[in-house]
Amino acid sequence: MKIDWAALGSVFGVSLVATVALVALFTLGISGLSRRERATAEGRSAALAVTGAYACFAACAAAVGYGIYLIMA
C-alpha cells in the first residue's frame, strides 16, 4: 500500500485552515453580540455590531452546510 503524502498534506492543510476560520468567525460573532450588550447598557445603538455578528454566524452555517454537502456528494 502506497500513501500519497502530498494529497494527505493537502487534506490536512485545508482542514486546518477551515477549522481556524470557523473558530475565528464564531468568536467574532460572539464578541459582536457582547458589544450589543455593552452598547445597550451605555445607551448607544449596536445595529452594526449585531448585523456583523449574525453575518459571522451565517457564514459559519454556510461553511458547515457546504462541508456536509461535500461529504454527502
Side-chain angles (χ1 to χ4, degrees):
M1 179 164 149
K2 185 177 177 184
I3 298 174
D4 186 3
W5 291 103
L8 186 61
S10 295
V11 168
F12 176 75
V14 168
S15 66
L16 183 67
V17 168
T19 301
V20 169
L22 286 177
V23 169
L25 281 172
F26 203 74
T27 302
L28 285 172
I30 291 173
S31 66
L33 291 180
S34 71
R35 281 190 214 118
R36 175 187 65 176
E37 296 296 325
R38 209 172 352 177
T40 303
E42 295 173 0
R44 294 181 291 128
S45 175
L48 185 61
V50 172
T51 303
Y54 287 136
C56 288
F57 291 141
C60 281
V64 169
Y66 184 66
I68 291 172
Y69 166 75
L70 289 177
I71 290 170
M72 299 302 272

